[in-house]
Amino acid sequence: MSIKLTAENFESLVLNSDKPVLVDFWATWCGPCKMIAPVIEELSEELEGKVVVAKLDVDQVPSIAAQYGVMSIPTMVVFENGKEAKRTVGFQPKDRLKAFLGV
């Protein structure tokens, strides 16, 4: 199951993680976000122990979305060693997301 990110836990769960972290920037009103949600949950189960999978609602935590320049959603950002390593925007099928993650 993916982790729900907040302004309070973002640093400890994402920036200080010893594993790569996939952050799904999303919102409840976003159609493509709803389409990709089951894919994100499947990945979180499949990659447990290898990659941390987390979701950040841009309406609830707009400051972090702005800090990372998230202009469109869904945006998936991989953080490694506390820094953004790569990102992709828009709906992605599961196989493409796995390739994006390098797993």
Side-chain angles (χ1 to χ4, degrees), residues 13-53:
L13 296 177
V14 177
L15 302 182
N16 295 334
S17 176
D18 59 352
K19 294 183 180 86
V21 182
L22 172 67
V23 178
D24 173 20
F25 289 87
W26 71 288
T28 56
W29 49 264
C30 165
C33 298
K34 291 176 184 174
M35 290 171 48
I36 204 168
V39 175
I40 297 291
E41 289 306 318
E42 285 178 32
L43 285 175
S44 73
E45 291 171 19
E46 285 181 27
L47 302 176
E48 190 172 350
K50 296 179 194 164
V51 177
V52 175
V53 178

Side-chain angles (χ1 to χ4, degrees), residues 3-16:
I3 297 166
K4 180 181 176 185
L5 294 173
T6 65
E8 293 74 30
N9 69 11
F10 186 84
E11 183 175 350
S12 64
L13 296 177
V14 177
L15 302 182
N16 295 334

Side-chain angles (χ1 to χ4, degrees), residues 24-96:
D24 173 20
F25 289 87
W26 71 288
T28 56
W29 49 264
C30 165
C33 298
K34 291 176 184 174
M35 290 171 48
I36 204 168
V39 175
I40 297 291
E41 289 306 318
E42 285 178 32
L43 285 175
S44 73
E45 291 171 19
E46 285 181 27
L47 302 176
E48 190 172 350
K50 296 179 194 164
V51 177
V52 175
V53 178
K55 296 174 70 79
L56 185 136
D57 185 327
V58 298
D59 289 335
Q60 292 181 359
V61 195
S63 59
I64 293 175
Q67 180 180 345
Y68 288 97
V70 174
M71 303 300 269
S72 301
I73 52 174
T75 293
M76 277 67 62
V77 178
V78 175
F79 289 86
E80 294 176 353
N81 302 314
K83 297 193 177 0
E84 179 178 337
K86 51 190 165 180
R87 76 170 56 197
T88 185
V89 178
F91 176 82
Q92 304 289 324
K94 186 175 173 184
D95 59 339
R96 196 170 308 159

